[in-house]
């Protein structure tokens, strides 16, 4: 019966809020976008130690909510006859409820007061938090605990307006492939057992709205929502932390949106030197899941549109290791703190990855392998031995694939091409994991010559996983990249993987004949800027400074002036990690609820230096028995596919009341909007406007550009300048420390990691050489660019121009017609002057009649009419 059902993600019914207060209660009034239906949340202000919330399930209309607020206002006036609003006052307007928090005294309510649209996926909109309000709930005026204000400032140091994102209808905590799959189980309460939807009583065929179960690993306000178990899900707004960017690749007018979503894990979250390796549960430091989505933006429907996605991740080496920061030195010594002969930590880590993403899990390790004095190579040896041990007990076709590439040593070689090596690795393993495409990819079968050239394309790889898939593309497994910090080298490697994946995505959509993109094209330059923005943001959050070694550094294209910037970023990173990381870590522990203040116990700032280690390294929750069974036995029933997708749960399921809910939430037909102010025109990066050269006759974003035109970094942009605002999770610290991403290596021997099998790609990506620069190459003539040359207009053409310009000058808007304030007037537009004579001569019928029409002309006209 449920096979005919259609499941659509529910748009949250509460998107606007207003907080009202009386002496004894707060009233949080929530409404939909159109402000036609309202809900009320009552918050008691009397008991300062307990959060008492009452969710009024009644849905009010505009008239009813106005009468309710008037009744509350009248009932709370201290004197009869007082003016309106004296008993009930409005405190603040908001767009969402982030949650509640308590330190040593009463509770605070946290509301999102400003938001900014940063991306769209189909009909779903993604917002970035721009500002929040934190309001103390209790009314008592007794003297507060002396540490209350310090905890408050520490909590507020986690700037929610810095790289925190949410959506009312799209689940940002999961991948697109997960979100477009149908739910299988219903789990209304975390304490209840899941019920298969086919077994839910009363289920009928039709359309259903559902609210998914969010992945709490990426919900950064999970602790703030812990006291809201009894209220409706429409009030709860999950927030992720990381990075979101979107650009428009315009292919001869056809818009293809490329979106980058980076989700930072809240498990084992922290600063660089304090969060190395992993905890006993397998949660690694600096764990970020990056999803690259490419979709045909000309079709917005979830069911009809073409959506493709590719997921990869970065994360520290999953072992018990750290660096000694007790001594101030550029590169602290790496220490393996706990020997793990059975690889329990790594086993827990890879067990979760197999459950979430399926197989194969591809590990690209960029840590140095050979050094005169062992430093990074300790991690390579530990990681390699762990994977070898774990692979013994997995079936051969599902084993973890391990690739080591000493990127730093390769970059030092004069003739080495780091990006070419990375491109080969990416091409080989992206074909193995595949990409996700929401529609059958029949386009690939229409190019038989492409299949003969490329022996193992995505379709054949997909059929190898499951013959029933046919032309359906599903990503199984993922590529996991790491270096020591998972910042500079990792970001460059992820760009190479993302570039290869984007070629497959555009090919699947049908805009590329072959899955291959060259450097120095508008599309790849745009993607490079997106990955560098992501790298800067994630580096500021984890390391305290922007990237030190950028993609251009590994392409050997960085200007000599970048060396000074690299030194400044290294000094900034060193300062941050040495002086401010401990305070930032305490701030994060309080915000995430890892440390909960209690009266009578020492505050977090008086704890010993190793207290943070014990906060994050609790006793392992799961110890397999036997130890060889490190993976979940249920995985074998689903691999190579994701077990999480196969058992997708939802927490609420309702019959669809309005089938146009998603489109109305996207288009806002109830609001008056100006075309040039829409997100698609004003906010999103555009390949033509921001990347295409000024002088070109080739408008394809996939053409290699010899002369680069205007660049986005040279243009005024509405995007936030990273150097002006630090997107660190701990607020506006000026952060920085010496980078272990430094490419210095005492060993001068050549890299031994070359693998001839990587050279599968027919045409490898390389750097474009301009050769000698001449005046003609810098300033080409119009004849050479456009094929025409301007000449001085003759007298007849000038006379015709004067007549038309005079006609335009005497034209203007009709009397009484309203012109938009944002419209740009024509430079020759003037009010109509009725007394002026028209400059174009008009035939005078009174003095001379027109000559009669000839028979030949009539015959021509009759033939024209008959022909239609």
């Amino acid at each position: 019966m449920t096979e005919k059902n259609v499941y659509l993600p529910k748009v949250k019914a509460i998107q606007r809020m207003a907080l009202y207060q009386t002496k004894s209660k707060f009233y949080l009034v929530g409404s939909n976008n159109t402000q036609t239906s309202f809900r009320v949340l009552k918050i008691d202000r009397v008991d300062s130690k307990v959060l008492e919330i009452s969710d009024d399930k009644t849905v009010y209309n505009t008239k009813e909510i106005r009468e309710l607020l008037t009744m509350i206002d009248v009932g709370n006036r201290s004197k009869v006859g007082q003016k309106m609003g004296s008993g009930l006052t409005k405190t603040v307007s908001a767009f969402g409820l982030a949650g509640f928090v308590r330190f040593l005294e009463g509770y605070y309510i946290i509301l999102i007061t400003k938001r900014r649209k940063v991306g769209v996926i189909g009909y779903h909109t993604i917002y970035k938090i721009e500002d929040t309000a934190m309001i103390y709930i209790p009314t008592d005026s007794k003297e507060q605990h002396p540490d209350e204000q310090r905890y408050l400032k520490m909590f507020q140091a986690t700037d929610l307006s810095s790289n925190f994102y949410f959506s009312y209808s799209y689940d940002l905590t999961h991948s697109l492939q997960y979100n477009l799959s149908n739910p299988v189980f219903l789990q209304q309460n975390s304490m209840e057992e899941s019920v298969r939807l086919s077994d839910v009583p009363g289920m009928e065929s039709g359309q259903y709205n559902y609210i998914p179960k969010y992945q709490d690993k990426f919900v950064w306000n999970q602790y703030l929502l812990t006291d809201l178990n009894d209220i409706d899900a429409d009030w709860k707004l999950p927030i992720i932390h990381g990075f979101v960017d979107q650009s428009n690749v315009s292919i001869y007018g056809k818009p293809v949106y490329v979106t980058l979503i980076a989700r930072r894990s809240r498990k084992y979250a922290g600063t660089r030197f304090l969060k190395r390796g992993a905890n006993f549960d397998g949660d690694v430091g600096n764990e970020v899941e990056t999803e690259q989505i490419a979709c045909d933006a000309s079709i917005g429907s979830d069911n009809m549109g073409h959506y493709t996605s590719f997921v990869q991740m970065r994360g520290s080496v999953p072992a018990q290791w750290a660096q000694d920061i007790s001594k101030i030195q550029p590169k602290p010594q790496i220490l393996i703190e706990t020997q793990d002969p059975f690889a329990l930590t790594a086993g827990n880590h890879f067990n979760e990855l197999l459950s979430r993403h399926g197989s194969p899990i591809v590990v690209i390790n960029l840590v140095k392998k050979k050094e005169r004095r062992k430093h990074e190579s300790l991690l390579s040896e530990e990681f390699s031995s762990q994977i070898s041990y774990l692979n013994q007990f997995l079936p051969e076709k599902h084993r973890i694939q391990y690739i080591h590439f000493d990127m730093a040593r390769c970059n030092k070689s004069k003739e080495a091409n780091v990006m070419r090596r990375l491109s080969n690795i990416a091409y080989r393993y992206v074909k193995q994991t595949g990409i996700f495409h929401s529609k059958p990819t029949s386009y690939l079968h229409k190019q038989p010559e492409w299949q003969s050239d490329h022996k193992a394309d995505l379709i054949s790889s997909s059929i190898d996983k499951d013959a029933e898939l046919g032309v359906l593309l599903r990503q199984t497994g993922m590529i996991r990249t790491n270096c020591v910090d998972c910042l500079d080298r990792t970001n460059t490697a992820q760009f190479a993987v993302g570039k290869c994946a984007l070629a497959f995505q555009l090919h699947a959509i049908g805009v590329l004949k072959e899955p291959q993109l060259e450097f120095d094209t508008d599309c790849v330059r745009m993607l490079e800027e997106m990955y560098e923005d992501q790298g800067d943001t994630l580096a500021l959050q984890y390391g305290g400074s922007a990237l030190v070694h950028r993609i251009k550094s590994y392409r050997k294209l960085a200007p000599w002036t970048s060396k000074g910037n690299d030194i400044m970023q290294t000094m900034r990173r060193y300062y941050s990690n040495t002086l401010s990381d401990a305070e930032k870590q305490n701030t994060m522990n309080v915000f995430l609820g890892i440390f909960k203040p209690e009266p009578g116990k020492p505050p977090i700032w008086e704890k010993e230096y190793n207290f943070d280690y014990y906060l994050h390294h609790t006793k392992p929750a799961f110890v397999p028995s036997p130890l060889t069974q490190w993976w979940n036995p249920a995985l074998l029933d689903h691999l190579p596919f994701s077990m999480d997708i196969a058992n997708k749960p939802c927490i609420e399921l309702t019959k669809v009341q309005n089938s146009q809910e998603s489109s109305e939430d996207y288009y806002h037909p109830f609001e008056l909007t100006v075309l040039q102010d829409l997100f698609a025109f004003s906010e999103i990066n555009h390949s033509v406007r921001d990347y295409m050269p000024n002088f070109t006759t080739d408008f394809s974003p996939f053409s290699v550009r010899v002369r680069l035109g205007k660049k986005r970094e040279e243009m005024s942009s509405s995007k936030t300048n990273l150097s002006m605002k630090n997107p660190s999770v701990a607020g506006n610290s000026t952060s920085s420390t010496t980078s272990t991403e430094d490419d210095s290596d005492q060993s001068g021997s050549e890299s031994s990691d070359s693998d001839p099998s990587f050279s599968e790609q027919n045409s490898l990506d390389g750097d474009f050489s301009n050769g000698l620069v001449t005046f003609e190459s810098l300033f080409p003539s119009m004849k050479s660019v456009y094929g025409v040359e301007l000449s001085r207009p003759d007298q007849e053409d000038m006379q015709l121009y004067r007549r038309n310009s005079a006609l335009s000058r005497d034209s203007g808007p009709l009397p009484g017609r309203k012109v938009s304030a944002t419209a740009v007037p024509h430079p020759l537009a003037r009010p109509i002057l009725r007394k002026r004579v028209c400059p174009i001569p008009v035939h005078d019928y009174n003095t001379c009649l027109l000559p009669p029409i000839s028979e030949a002309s009539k015959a021509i006209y009759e033939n024209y009419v008959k022909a239609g």
Side-chain angles (χ1 to χ4, degrees), residues 73-89:
D73 177 38
V74 173
N76 284 274
R77 295 178 189 174
S78 56
K79 296 180 181 179
V80 179
Q82 279 187 321
K83 63 179 182 178
M84 182 72 68
S86 58
L88 180 71
T89 58

Side-chain angles (χ1 to χ4, degrees), residues 575-590:
Y575 167 79
S576 170
N577 300 154
T578 306
L579 301 179
S580 62
D581 271 9
E583 181 67 22
K584 289 168 62 177
Q585 185 66 57
N586 289 339
T587 295
M588 209 172 300
N589 291 339
V590 172

Side-chain angles (χ1 to χ4, degrees), residues 570-581 734-738:
T570 301
M571 294 175 61
R572 183 174 296 172
R573 193 175 289 183
Y574 180 81
Y575 167 79
S576 170
N577 300 154
T578 306
L579 301 179
S580 62
D581 271 9
T734 55
S735 39
S736 287
T737 291
T738 316

Side-chain angles (χ1 to χ4, degrees), residues 672-722:
L672 178 63
T673 55
V674 181
L675 187 64
Q676 56 263 39
D677 293 340
L678 294 178
F679 174 78
F681 292 91
S682 61
E683 295 289 337
I684 192 171
N685 302 315
H686 200 284
S687 62
V688 174
R689 182 187 65 226
D690 300 329
Y691 296 94
M692 185 176 291
N694 291 318
F695 304 101
T696 183
T697 55
D698 188 353
F699 301 106
S700 172
F702 310 122
S703 299
V704 177
R705 307 292 185 189
V706 179
R707 290 180 57 247
L708 297 182
K710 51 188 176 181
K711 299 180 181 179
R712 187 174 69 170
E713 59 266 24
E714 298 173 357
M715 302 175 61
S716 58
S717 175
S718 60
K719 297 180 66 176
T720 305
N721 189 348
L722 290 172

